[in-house]
């Protein structure tokens, strides 16, 4: 039997409440793999974690090896194969974005230092807690024992949202859509890009779409989908975020037949800084991620992409003092 250790932070929160059960009931790992799940949250949330643990046990998952619940990051990250950094402080009323960036930066700094000491050097780290791309930069800075290639930030929720909005527009199934990628930051500057998108391997349906719909409806709707969910549900996306994390992890473990969107820090041919985590069109083969550097960008696409890069550079400037440590 082969065992994989998966650590989830923010494990008493909303996303984790869907994510844990998706992973343990899902099919990312083959049947001979058992999963040890390490659940980390802050001390006041330990009671909730105990309830979550009992619920996991009550599912009698065949894939479950064992569960650790803890408020100690060194215990949670020890020998972990996959670290899903979901836990973060939410933005409270009246709080400035810069304050949120700094508060969460300090959480990710502390965790990265411990990951550096106790996690496996081969561990894959997925950063979800917002601002995800900039938090990934902090993790990369303080967890130097983990190769940069093993650190990614979640953009798959944006990619899934874009696919489902396009699927409704064209009345085509989601699985017929390929090469729809999202560039940039997980924020309202992200750029969902239909330039290369295919339906059942063919570009004719997408090419017929009115540009006004793309610019005035599609792009802003994807960019602001998170706010739309909050408006209706009164809470931020949780089940769809968990599903996207599952898809992201699945692509890392089992590779992907389609282009993937993830935040990565890489040299690239698109004139984007290689000092930020930015979402590109990615190809994942044999669990190795590479940027598809061959796309021709229209002037409009380049403008959108540069705007998102500018936002990420501003975020990096806000946390620059932390990166000096
Ligand atoms: P919740 O507020 O429900 O849960 C967050 C959990 O993190 C809480 O249980 C809290 O106690 C815990 N936490 C706080 N500080 C911690 C620390 N130092 N160590 C361990 N745990 C800690 O939020 P939830 O809805 O689960 O969202 C989690 C994060 O995901 C948020 O930052 C959210 O903004 C972000 N998201 C990112 C997305 C992405 O695509 N990158 C999409 C979904 C989501 O909005």
């Amino acid at each position: 039997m082969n065992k994989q250790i998966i650590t989830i932070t923010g494990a008493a929160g909303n996303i984790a409440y869907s994510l844990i059960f998706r992973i343990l009931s899902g099919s990312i790992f083959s049947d001979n793999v058992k999963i040890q799940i390490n659940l980390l949250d802050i001390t006041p949330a330990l009671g909730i974690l105990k309830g979550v643990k009992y619920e996991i046990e009550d599912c009698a998952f065949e894939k479950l090896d064992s569960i650790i619940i803890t408020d100690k990051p060194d215990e949670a990250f020890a020998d972990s194969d996959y670290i899903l950094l979901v836990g973060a402080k939410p933005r409270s009323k009246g709080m400035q974005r810069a304050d949120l960036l700094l508060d969460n930066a300090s959480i990710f700094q502390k965790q990265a230092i411990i990951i550096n000491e106790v996690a496996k050097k081969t561990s894959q780290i997925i950063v979800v807690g917002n601002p995800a791309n900039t938090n990934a930069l902090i993790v990369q800075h303080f967890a130097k024992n983990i190769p940069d290639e093993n650190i990614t930030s979640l953009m798959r929720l944006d990619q899934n949202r874009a696919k489902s909005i396009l699927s409704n527009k064209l009345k085509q199934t989601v699985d017929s859509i390929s090469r729809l990628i999202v560039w940039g930051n997980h924020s309202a500057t992200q750029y969902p890009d239909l330039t290369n998108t295919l339906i059942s391997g063919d570009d004719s349906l997408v090419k017929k779409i009115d540009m006004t719909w793309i610019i005035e409806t599609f792009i802003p709707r994807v960019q602001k989908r998170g706010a739309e969910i909050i408006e209706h549900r009164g809470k931020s996306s949780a089940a769809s975020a968990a599903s996207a994390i599952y898809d992201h992890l699945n692509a890392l473990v089992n590779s992907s037949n389609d282009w993937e969107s993830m935040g990565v820090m890489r040299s690239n041919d698109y004139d984007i800084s290689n000092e930020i985590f930015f979402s590109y069109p990615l190809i994942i083969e044999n669990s190795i991620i590479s940027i598809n550097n061959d796309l021709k960008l229209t002037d409009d696409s380049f403008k959108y992409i540069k705007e998102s890069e500018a936002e990420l550079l501003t975020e990096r400037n806000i946390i620059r003092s932390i990166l000096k440590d």
Side-chain angles (χ1 to χ4, degrees):
M1 185 197 71
N2 184 349
K3 184 168 90 172
Q4 296 286 301
I5 303 180
I6 302 181
T7 302
I8 300 177
T9 73
N14 284 308
I15 293 176
Y17 194 63
S18 291
L19 177 63
I20 297 164
F21 300 88
R22 276 290 324 258
I23 291 175
L24 289 170
S25 62
S27 55
I28 294 178
F29 299 98
S30 53
D31 288 346
N32 65 344
V33 173
K34 297 274 182 210
I35 298 172
Q36 174 180 321
I37 196 121
N38 293 359
L39 303 178
L40 175 73
D41 211 294
I42 52 177
T43 312
L46 279 177
I48 299 173
L49 279 189
K50 190 173 255 185
V52 172
K53 177 175 187 268
Y54 290 160
E55 282 210 68
I56 298 168
E57 287 169 356
D58 291 349
C59 292
F61 288 120
E62 288 179 6
K63 283 198 179 325
L64 182 67
D65 172 82
S66 50
I67 313 165
I68 290 178
I69 56 170
T70 182
D71 58 354
K72 297 180 184 60
D74 53 345
E75 189 181 3
F77 298 133
D79 295 325
S80 195
D81 296 290
Y82 297 92
I83 298 179
L84 315 184
L85 296 175
V86 181
K89 244 189 174 173
R91 190 164 169 176
S92 51
K93 215 174 165 188
M95 191 181 202
Q96 298 301 313
R97 187 170 166 84
D99 296 333
L100 179 77
L101 267 156
L102 287 167
D103 275 3
N104 279 330
S106 109
I107 292 177
F108 284 82
Q109 175 189 12
K110 284 183 195 131
Q111 292 183 346
I113 289 169
I114 298 170
I115 288 171
N116 202 43
E117 285 164 11
V118 304
K120 282 187 183 141
K121 311 293 174 246
T122 51
S123 183
Q124 289 279 350
I125 302 179
I126 304 173
V127 183
V128 177
N130 276 319
N133 301 48
T134 298
N135 289 335
L137 185 62
I138 293 168
V139 173
Q140 181 275 338
H141 184 84
F142 289 100
K144 289 284 185 226
N145 287 333
I146 310 285
D148 295 355
E149 302 79 60
N150 289 20
I151 304 170
T152 52
S153 61
L154 184 73
M155 294 294 295
R156 181 63 187 253
L157 179 56
D158 307 291
Q159 192 180 21
N160 285 350
R161 286 167 170 167
K163 271 194 180 177
S164 89
I165 290 169
L166 182 69
S167 133
N168 284 334
K169 164 79 177 169
L170 294 179
K171 309 215 172 348
Q172 299 291 322
T173 57
V174 163
D175 66 325
S176 68
I177 302 173
S178 61
R179 302 191 172 185
L180 199 181
I181 37 111
V182 178
W183 301 77
N185 196 4
H186 171 66
S187 76
T189 66
Q190 66 180 264
Y191 172 48
D193 181 5
L194 292 178
T195 319
N196 303 286
T197 302
L198 305 175
I199 307 292
S200 302
D202 183 275
D203 67 356
S204 53
L205 270 182
V206 178
K207 290 279 176 270
K208 277 190 210 136
I209 300 174
D210 178 16
M211 270 316 276
T212 314
W213 180 81
I214 294 178
I215 293 165
E216 292 180 10
T217 304
F218 174 72
I219 295 174
R221 189 135 191 236
V222 178
Q223 289 172 330
K224 294 177 195 148
R225 184 64 158 189
E228 195 180 348
I229 302 289
I230 294 175
E231 191 188 312
H232 291 286
R233 222 173 73 88
K235 293 182 195 162
S236 63
S237 323
S240 54
S243 192
I245 299 167
Y246 179 93
D247 292 341
H248 180 125
L249 181 60
N250 188 39
L252 289 181
V253 175
N254 296 313
S255 300
S256 175
N257 295 327
D258 193 7
W259 296 354
E260 293 288 328
S261 299
M262 296 178 178
V264 296
M265 196 178 83
R266 296 281 173 95
S267 295
N268 61 89
D269 291 351
Y270 296 110
D271 190 33
I272 297 296
S273 164
N274 63 0
E275 295 180 354
I276 50 177
F277 276 77
F278 195 89
S279 181
Y280 301 92
L282 301 176
I283 292 171
I284 310 184
E285 279 172 351
N286 302 322
S287 295
I288 294 172
I289 303 175
S290 53
I291 297 179
N292 179 351
N293 271 312
D294 296 334
L295 305 187
K296 287 208 170 51
L297 294 180
T298 63
D299 290 349
D300 283 345
S301 293
F302 194 62
K303 224 171 91 196
Y304 278 115
I305 289 166
K306 280 296 190 186
E307 202 181 312
S308 207
E309 179 196 37
E311 182 184 47
L312 280 164
L313 291 171
T314 305
E315 289 185 10
R316 189 191 60 172
N317 283 343
I318 294 170
I319 53 129
R320 194 179 279 282
S321 59
I322 293 179
L323 295 180
K324 280 196 185 120
D325 288 355

